[in-house]
Amino acid sequence: DVKVTQSSRYLVKRTGEKVFLECVQDMDHENMFWYRQDPGLGLRLIYFSYDVKMKEKGDIPEGYSVSREKKERFSLILESASTNQTSMYLCASSGGTGRQQDEQYFGPGTRLTVT
Amino acid sequence: AQSVTQLDSQVPVFEEAPVELRCNYSSSVSVYLFWYVQYPNQGLQLLLKYLSGSTLVESINGFEAEFNKSQTSFHLRKPSVHISDTAEYFCAVGQPDYKLSFGAGTTVTVRA
């Protein structure tokens, strides 16, 4: 089974702090994704990566950056956390070569609260 | 770009009753469609998917969805729900360049 793990289930940070969210997958997938999930808005793509050291902006990249130094690990960074970044963050991975029919495998999520 | 509309945000239903979750998409190219389920305090899991072939696809736990090209729909149904089906359900469409576009989600609450 594909396993996607995220470093924390719950996280509380203060406004202005730098926040790192880590994601690791164990299926040698090329593609990894970071989403945020908010009630009534579904999942919105923040960033994705289709190869080591490659990254692409999603629909809502502002206020975030990412790092992919190893194939299995994809990190989301909030340079200066703000209260409007309080949300559930979901990491996902997929194999294949960017085909539309590739399903994604999700981690359990990190619920981040910024106070 | 393709988009997904889930027509119901909340669906309360009694145990053993049928349920239908509606999903419409917009697309001008080949379509690949997915339903994901999110149980409380968990990540998303794939429930079923349509890639090609038969327009009716089924999951192992009794859900089914029908791809209707003329109505651009991919509605999810289950003839008899259980308490354990309480979850949030997301419809998604495959995009070029690795991505999925998700609907806003439908929360199903099953009551005894």
Side-chain angles (χ1 to χ4, degrees):
Chain A
D1 280 351
V2 175
K3 193 163 185 182
V4 180
T5 57
Q6 296 183 228
S7 51
S8 305
R9 292 300 304 273
Y10 301 93
L11 210 52
V12 179
K13 295 292 182 181
R14 293 193 179 274
T15 301
E17 278 192 82
K18 191 169 186 175
V19 182
F20 293 87
L21 302 182
E22 304 284 341
C23 175
V24 177
Q25 51 93 5
D26 67 357
M27 281 301 291
D28 202 35
H29 280 169
E30 291 83 1
N31 313 310
M32 297 187 75
F33 307 82
W34 276 107
Y35 295 90
R36 64 176 283 175
Q37 181 183 5
D38 300 287
L41 298 177
L43 277 71
R44 293 179 291 168
L45 182 64
I46 304 172
Y47 267 96
F48 67 103
S49 168
Y50 53 87
D51 201 353
V52 176
K53 297 192 185 294
M54 304 300 289
K55 60 184 179 183
E56 294 285 342
K57 292 181 180 179
D59 301 318
I60 52 164
E62 296 78 19
Y64 303 94
S65 62
V66 290
S67 173
R68 193 164 180 205
E69 296 296 319
K70 294 184 178 181
K71 190 175 186 179
E72 68 271 19
R73 188 178 298 269
F74 192 35
S75 302
L76 180 69
I77 303 155
L78 288 66
E79 294 289 342
S80 177
S82 63
T83 54
N84 63 10
Q85 292 178 310
T86 291
S87 187
M88 171 71 88
Y89 290 87
L90 292 168
C91 176
S93 72
S94 72
T97 55
R99 300 171 305 172
Q100 290 172 265
Q101 58 263 50
D102 294 335
E103 66 184 86
Q104 293 181 12
Y105 297 84
F106 284 82
T110 295
R111 187 168 294 281
L112 173 67
T113 302
V114 183
T115 62
Chain B
Q2 301 173 71
S3 67
V4 179
T5 303
Q6 291 184 241
L7 295 159
D8 308 290
S9 60
Q10 305 266 352
V11 174
V13 58
F14 286 107
E15 193 174 20
E16 298 184 7
V19 71
E20 179 180 76
L21 309 183
R22 296 177 293 169
C23 172
N24 287 93
Y25 64 91
S26 65
S27 171
S28 58
V29 297
S30 298
V31 177
Y32 302 96
L33 295 159
F34 306 82
W35 276 100
Y36 284 81
V37 59
Q38 185 180 33
Y39 298 106
N41 300 314
Q42 295 186 26
L44 276 70
Q45 304 172 32
L46 182 69
L47 189 59
L48 48 75
K49 61 185 177 183
Y50 170 78
L51 303 181
S52 65
S54 172
T55 57
L56 186 67
V57 290
E58 298 177 351
S59 73
I60 58 173
N61 57 354
F63 283 93
E64 63 180 29
E66 186 161 19
F67 169 57
N68 188 318
K69 188 174 182 178
S70 63
Q71 297 187 4
T72 61
S73 68
F74 191 53
H75 300 334
L76 181 70
R77 302 181 182 92
K78 188 171 184 180
S80 176
V81 295
H82 302 290
I83 297 288
S84 59
D85 292 322
T86 293
E88 190 162 16
Y89 294 80
F90 293 93
C91 184
V93 60
Q95 299 260 31
D97 299 332
Y98 316 96
K99 295 185 280 189
L100 289 173
S101 287
F102 287 87
T106 298
T107 299
V108 173
T109 305
V110 181
R111 302 171 182 170

